[in-house]
Every structure is written in structure tokens, then in C-alpha cells.
Amino acid sequence: MIFTIRSGITILADHPRLYLPRHSTPGKDWFRIQKPIPTDPLCTAKQDSITLPDGVGLPGRRHSIGLARRWHLGIDTLWLLNGLIFTVLIFAIGQWMRLVPMSWNVSGTFDTVPLDQFSIQIARTLHFLVLCWFVMFIVVHVALVMTTGALRNLNHIYVSRDDASWVGFAIFAVSMVVMIVAWVASTPLTYRFLRKVQKAGYALIGPAQKLFEHIDAKPGQYSEKDISPYFWHNGKYPETEEYKQLQAGDFAGYTLRINGLVENPVDLNLEQLRSFPTTSNSRSICAFKAGRASRSR
């Protein structure tokens, strides 16, 4: 849960706003951990992200959402596997009777996970609410364990003993040391072994990803209502004086120069570029119009 929560916070920090509508339109967020969207039309999604301390997010820092997703989805896979094993065992050894209410005098405890059956924005909201639920559950649960007979409760949890010896507490203390070491070491080790973390994360989530990555609308099935009213710019805009002058003139003076290893070098303005027909071919239509690339000798 430590890795799941920390990596989830990093993912949230990359776009620190939650919405109920499908589109991420400024001003429509119901929750945010960032300032309001500035009126600057050149404000980018990268500028909106938040830098987290290394000890908070996983891996932390800014624009590390790719690594965070590897951690988040990979650990979620292990968590689901752990839950599957737990479910099999409680039925195999008869412990299900201690969890499932057999009368109105017994209440059961049930965990919950979000179901992503809605838009991505509702899914993000559900993830955040479940995150808050888990954090609250952990805090309350640990507090109750420690305040209602810590030694006996820890023996119940760790060694299945109903006494007040220190065995369970000793194992608990060792497990806490392991968690603290893992907490501190996870971020620096992630940045030191980037590729290994990426490969390990994909090895865990890859099989499931391959099953579901093609479940999407086919080309041509999107309608006008699917187009967001606000376009989140990405990357970083140039800060040169030349770019500012082009922007002030709505890029009317912009030209694309195609030269180098081509037979027919050409300068194309926006009107000429927009006059070319669209194509699904990966080869650039502009380069095709300008001439075939010649092989250097």
C-alpha cells in the first residue's frame, strides 16, 4: 500500500485537478491541489503539474508520471494477486465463516476497489476517494490495534497467538524497519535503475495491458461531443522574440523550409500547408510534394 499510495500521489500531481465531466475544462474541477488555471492562452499542462519531494511521491519530482505508472500498476498487480491468494485460502481452511456474516448479530468488513466503468475523469475521482478511504482505514485500524491491547493484538496478527508476549511486537518492529528502509530507498533506486524499474513494471502489468489495450472506439466513431472544449497544450513554447512576433501576427508570416538532402528545396507558408490533402500514410505529404529525398554519397 505504501508504494501504491505514493505512486498514485505522483500520478495525481501530474494533473492536480479532479473533474466529474469527461473534459478537463478549466473551472470545472471539483477538487484541485494547484492554483486556478491562468488566463495565459499559452499555459501548458506541464506548467500545471506539481513537484513533489522524493520522500512523498514515488518516484517524486516533476514529470515522472511514466515511472509512477509502472510502480502503481505493477504493485496493484501484486496486490490483486495477494487478494486472490487470500480469498482462496479463507475458503480452503474454513476461515470464511469468520468474515462472512452468518447472522444479523455479526457484521462483516469488506474492502472495495474502484470500478472504471465510467469516463476517465470519474475513474480518477473514484481512485482519489478510495485512496482517502484506504488512508483513513490504515490510520484508524493501526490506532485501534495499538490502543486496545497492542501486545495481544500484534500476536493475533503476526503469530496467531492469544497472549501478551512480545513475539508479535518484535516481528512488527522488524516489519516497520523494512517498510521505512523501502520507503527511503525506493526513489533513489528508481532513478538509478530506470530501465529495470520500467521492465519490471511492464512484466507485471504487460499481460493484462495486452488484453485490454485494443478495447477502444474505432476510427470514425467519435462525434463532435467527444471533442474537448479546451485544449491542454503540452510541452514548452519558445521564448524567443521571433516566436513572440509570429504569435502576435497569428503566425501569418510562418514558413516551413524543406531543404537539405532533397531534390527540390521549398519554403511553404501556412496557407500552402493547409491546402495539401490529408493522408494516413506515415510519410510526410509535404516532403512528398517537395521532392524525393536523395541518398548521400
Side-chain angles (χ1 to χ4, degrees):
M1 290 305 300
I2 288 175
F3 299 125
T4 299
I5 292 172
R6 289 183 59 196
S7 58
I9 294 174
T10 296
I11 295 172
L12 176 63
D14 199 70
H15 186 64
R17 305 170 190 278
L18 295 174
Y19 310 83
L20 291 179
R22 178 179 181 181
H23 306 303
S24 304
T25 308
K28 299 295 184 180
D29 46 6
W30 70 267
F31 176 84
R32 59 181 172 85
I33 50 177
Q34 177 61 295
K35 298 178 181 179
I37 302 294
T39 57
D40 181 7
L42 296 185
C43 177
T44 67
K46 288 186 175 294
Q47 290 174 294
D48 194 51
S49 62
I50 292 177
T51 301
L52 296 175
D54 288 350
V56 177
L58 181 64
R61 305 182 191 178
R62 202 174 185 185
H63 310 320
S64 57
I65 187 173
L67 288 169
R69 282 174 174 163
R70 291 299 190 200
W71 270 108
H72 197 70
L73 298 175
I75 294 298
D76 280 352
T77 302
L78 296 178
W79 182 62
L80 291 173
L81 177 61
N82 178 76
L84 177 62
I85 295 173
F86 175 81
T87 302
V88 171
L89 287 177
I90 62 174
F91 283 99
I93 63 179
Q95 292 295 316
W96 65 271
M97 291 183 291
R98 299 169 59 92
L99 300 177
V100 179
M102 302 301 293
S103 71
W104 291 109
N105 296 323
V106 181
S107 60
T109 300
F110 298 92
D111 288 341
T112 181
V113 292
L115 300 177
D116 298 345
Q117 300 297 323
F118 310 101
S119 72
I120 186 173
Q121 299 306 329
I122 294 181
R124 293 181 75 238
T125 291
L126 286 176
H127 272 71
F128 178 75
L129 295 178
V130 172
L131 164 67
C132 295
W133 186 89
F134 271 123
V135 172
M136 181 181 68
F137 174 83
I138 292 171
V139 172
V140 173
H141 185 73
V142 173
L144 289 174
V145 168
M146 293 302 178
T147 58
T148 59
L151 293 180
R152 188 176 297 275
N153 289 334
L154 291 174
N155 280 333
H156 289 167
I157 296 169
Y158 285 97
V159 291
S160 298
R161 288 170 51 169
D162 187 21
D163 57 39
S165 67
W166 289 82
V167 178
F169 180 84
I171 299 175
F172 164 74
V174 172
S175 68
M176 288 299 298
V177 171
V178 171
M179 285 189 286
I180 292 172
V181 171
W183 185 304
V184 174
S186 56
T187 289
L189 288 178
T190 297
Y191 284 113
R192 184 175 180 180
F193 302 104
L194 292 173
R195 294 302 180 191
K196 291 183 178 179
V197 170
Q198 291 173 335
K199 290 179 180 179
Y202 185 76
L204 291 170
I205 194 61
Q209 179 179 326
K210 290 179 180 179
L211 290 175
F212 295 101
E213 64 184 0
H214 299 298
I215 301 178
D216 195 3
K218 296 179 180 179
Q221 293 186 351
Y222 294 104
S223 63
E224 290 292 329
K225 67 178 182 180
D226 296 316
I227 301 176
S228 298
Y230 180 85
F231 177 74
W232 277 92
H233 302 272
N234 210 341
K236 182 179 180 181
Y237 288 96
E239 299 177 351
T240 63
E241 190 62 33
E242 179 184 7
Y243 183 84
K244 293 179 181 179
Q245 292 176 0
L246 286 171
Q247 181 195 1
D250 197 24
F251 299 95
Y254 172 80
T255 58
L256 173 65
R257 173 167 294 178
I258 302 176
N259 58 2
L261 298 178
V262 295
E263 295 178 356
N264 303 310
V266 65
D267 289 343
L268 302 172
N269 57 35
L270 281 179
E271 184 178 352
Q272 291 172 313
L273 289 172
R274 290 167 177 164
S275 67
F276 291 136
T278 58
T279 177
S280 60
N281 196 310
S282 59
R283 184 181 302 173
S284 170
I285 188 67
C286 297
F288 178 79
K289 289 285 186 177
R292 296 179 302 170
S294 62
R295 187 185 301 274
S296 60
R297 299 182 183 275

